[in-house]
């Protein structure tokens, strides 16, 4: 298992999946290769871990922005070729290398080198396309680059039938793709506190997450309370589109709290559990959202847009409402439906948590491995 980032969503996903996979494959048949700064919370004795990949060095360690930018540019090839060296040095190379991440610019070459070393290559495609087009290449160039990389894989794993269709549309109908639904996080569940806000928005704040659409939608509803929390990665977006909209909402009588910094794991889960309804008004999104699984774990109903794998999961388990389109009016209508309903969604959320288990995700992953090995 190749998960080169030692913190965050992919590291958390790997920890959950590998625990379940070790039970299916046996601990001697699973090795995680990851970063030297692997989060202590994601370490385990249930499977072997090689934590020798170079970690990202943060801006504070450099004397100038130019030095930091150059180091960041070189980090990814340095990291990926460190993995290839580890693979070459293994006395018994694995039959399958399972990628959790891929560097788009030279992904095709990286996959070819893994296969040249005698390994089959499977990738968990969490995002069919990057959150935004790659620099210089634009949208068409990014699609072409990802298509070439995907066509080099022996198989891909995605989280829903909708994402499988999107993957086939991009990579080609002949590409092998398997579905393994994202499990619900097994972090210690919090007892639901008294709600501190009616509406919530959490996670990394970037334009494709649609916070501006949510703020426009709320102007169409009776004043209530809104809690926003998450890391800001685009300050120009905040200043130009978010701050003026927040001021407009406050002028209309809304209570709005804004925490524009990343949250600890416990604070993140508490933020999700402390609202009556969590919103994911995503626009350009080609993935499943880990936040949706956090909401299921916290038993918090959701309002989502028809983006990525969000709508498919929400409709299947009836754990909230899907907006009919990406307009503020449609999002407002969906929010009114959840907030004005006597339905608590608690039973539906309970069923979803029981269905979306890591054991099932591991079994689906094992079937993918089996299909790849049998040709």
């Amino acid at each position: 298992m190749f998960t080169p980032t030692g913190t965050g969503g992919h590291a958390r996903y790997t920890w959950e999946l590998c625990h379940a996979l070790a039970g299916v494959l046996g601990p001697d048949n699973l090795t995680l290769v990851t970063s030297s700064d692997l989060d202590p919370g994601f370490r385990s004795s249930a499977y072997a871990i090689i934590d020798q990949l170079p970690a990202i060095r943060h801006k504070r360690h450099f004397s100038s922005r130019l030095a930091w930018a150059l180091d960041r540019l070189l980090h990814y090839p340095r990291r990926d070729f460190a993995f290839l060296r580890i693979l070459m040095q293994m006395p018994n190379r694995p039959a399958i290398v399972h990628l959790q991440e891929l560097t788009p610019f030279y992904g095709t070459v990286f996959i070819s080198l893994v296969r040249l070393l005698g390994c089959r290559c499977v990738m968990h495609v969490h995002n069919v396309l990057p959150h935004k087009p790659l620099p210089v290449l634009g949208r068409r160039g990014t699609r072409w680059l990802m298509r070439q990389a995907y066509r080099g894989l022996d198989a891909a794993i995605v989280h829903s039938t909708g994402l499988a269709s999107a993957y086939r549309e991009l990579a080609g109908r002949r590409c092998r793709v398997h579905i393994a639904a994202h499990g619900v996080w097994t972090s210690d569940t919090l007892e639901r506190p008294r709600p501190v806000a009616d509406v919530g928005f959490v996670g990394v704040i970037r334009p494709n997450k649609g916070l501006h659409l949510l703020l426009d939608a709320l102007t169409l509803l009776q004043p209530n309370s809104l809690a926003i929390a998450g890391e800001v990665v685009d300050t120009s977006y905040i200043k130009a589109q978010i701050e003026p909209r927040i001021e407009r909402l406050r002028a209309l009588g809304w209570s709005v709290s804004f925490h524009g910094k990343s949250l600890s794991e416990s604070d993140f889960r508490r933020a999700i559990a402390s609202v009556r309804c969590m919103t994911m008004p995503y626009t350009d999104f080609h993935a499943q959202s880990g936040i949706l699984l956090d909401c299921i774990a916290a038993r918090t109903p959701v309002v989502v847009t028809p983006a990525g794998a969000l709508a498919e999961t929400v409709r299947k388990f009836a754990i909230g409402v899907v907006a009919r389109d990406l307009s503020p009016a449609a999002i407002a209508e969906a929010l009114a439906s959840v907030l004005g309903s006597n339905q608590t969604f608690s039973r539906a959320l309970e069923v979803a948590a029981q269905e979306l288990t890591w054991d099932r995700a591991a079994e689906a992953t094992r079937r993918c491995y089996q299909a790849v090995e049998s040709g």
Side-chain angles (χ1 to χ4, degrees):
M1 186 79 68
F2 172 66
T3 306
T5 305
T7 59
H10 288 171
R12 185 185 185 191
Y13 184 90
T14 300
W15 180 80
E16 295 272 20
L17 179 63
C18 283
H19 267 268
L21 263 180
V24 172
L25 304 177
D28 295 335
N29 294 315
L30 179 62
T31 299
L32 168 64
V33 182
T34 188
S35 172
S36 58
D37 67 345
L38 179 63
D39 189 319
F42 298 143
R43 292 188 175 274
S44 174
S45 59
Y47 46 90
I49 297 177
I50 300 175
D51 54 348
Q52 296 177 6
L53 300 180
I56 286 179
R57 288 182 283 193
H58 294 280
K59 194 179 298 185
R60 63 178 179 273
H61 296 142
F62 296 89
S63 57
S64 69
R65 289 179 62 87
L66 179 61
W68 167 78
L70 182 61
D71 184 80
R72 179 60 63 90
L73 185 66
L74 294 174
H75 167 77
Y76 299 99
R78 185 169 58 219
R79 177 196 74 182
D80 293 349
F81 283 97
F83 171 73
L84 292 171
R85 284 196 301 271
I86 290 170
L87 202 58
M88 286 189 289
Q89 293 166 4
M90 286 183 172
N92 298 305
R93 287 179 194 156
I96 293 174
V97 169
H98 185 156
L99 310 177
Q100 292 291 339
E101 298 177 32
L102 185 70
T103 305
F105 278 109
Y106 54 83
T108 304
V109 174
F110 180 75
I111 291 168
S112 298
L113 291 173
V114 169
R115 297 187 69 185
L116 192 64
L117 291 172
C119 306
R120 303 289 181 89
C121 202
V122 171
M123 181 177 172
H124 240 110
V125 181
H126 295 284
N127 295 49
V128 176
L129 287 168
H131 289 308
K132 59 182 180 180
L134 297 171
V136 180
L137 294 179
R139 189 175 296 272
R140 290 182 64 181
T142 299
R143 289 180 64 87
W144 180 87
L145 198 65
M146 298 310 298
R147 181 184 300 116
Q148 303 313 307
Y150 291 156
R151 287 178 174 175
L153 295 169
D154 290 283
I157 300 174
V158 297
H159 294 309
S160 73
T161 56
L163 292 177
S165 297
Y167 179 85
R168 289 192 186 99
E169 181 183 346
L170 178 64
R173 297 291 170 182
R174 294 184 179 180
C175 290
R176 183 181 290 176
V177 58
H178 296 255
I179 299 170
H182 196 306
V184 173
W185 307 115
T186 61
S187 308
D188 294 336
T189 54
L190 293 170
E191 184 175 328
R192 279 188 65 77
R194 186 181 183 87
V196 298
D198 295 286
V199 181
F201 178 100
V202 297
V204 176
I205 302 174
R206 55 166 69 96
N208 75 308
K209 294 298 183 73
L211 178 56
H212 57 288
L213 293 178
L214 172 63
L215 297 174
D216 286 344
L218 295 182
T219 64
L220 305 175
L221 300 176
Q222 289 296 314
N224 252 312
S225 52
L226 167 66
I228 304 167
E231 181 182 2
V232 173
V233 296
D234 186 341
T235 54
S236 62
Y237 170 66
I238 296 297
K239 290 188 177 298
Q241 299 201 48
I242 301 307
E243 290 179 353
R245 285 174 165 88
I246 288 177
E247 290 308 310
R248 181 175 60 171
L249 271 183
R250 286 174 174 156
L252 291 172
W254 277 82
S255 170
V256 182
S257 66
F258 182 87
H259 180 85
K261 296 181 180 179
S262 59
L263 300 174
S264 68
E265 190 68 33
S266 58
D267 286 343
F268 187 81
R269 289 187 289 113
R270 190 172 292 107
I272 289 173
S274 299
V275 296
R276 290 178 57 201
C277 174
M278 186 57 64
T279 58
M280 281 159 268
Y282 302 168
T283 56
D284 188 12
F285 192 70
H286 307 274
Q288 178 60 283
S289 171
I291 295 172
L292 178 61
L293 283 303
D294 274 306
C295 290
I296 296 172
R299 308 302 190 264
T300 299
V302 297
V303 164
V304 303
T305 51
L310 300 172
E312 185 175 328
T313 305
V314 173
R315 288 190 180 112
K316 178 178 179 179
F317 294 104
I319 54 175
V321 175
V322 180
R324 52 185 162 79
D325 55 46
L326 298 178
S327 67
I331 295 170
E333 182 182 289
L335 272 167
S337 178
V338 173
L339 296 174
S341 173
N342 292 325
Q343 182 184 2
T344 62
F345 297 93
S346 56
R347 177 58 186 157
L349 288 158
E350 194 68 41
V351 170
Q354 291 169 4
E355 289 283 327
L356 296 172
T357 67
W358 291 100
D359 286 341
R360 291 187 179 186
E363 180 56 31
T365 303
R366 184 198 65 79
R367 289 196 298 269
C368 172
Y369 293 166
Q370 193 174 47
V372 167
E373 288 189 294
S374 64

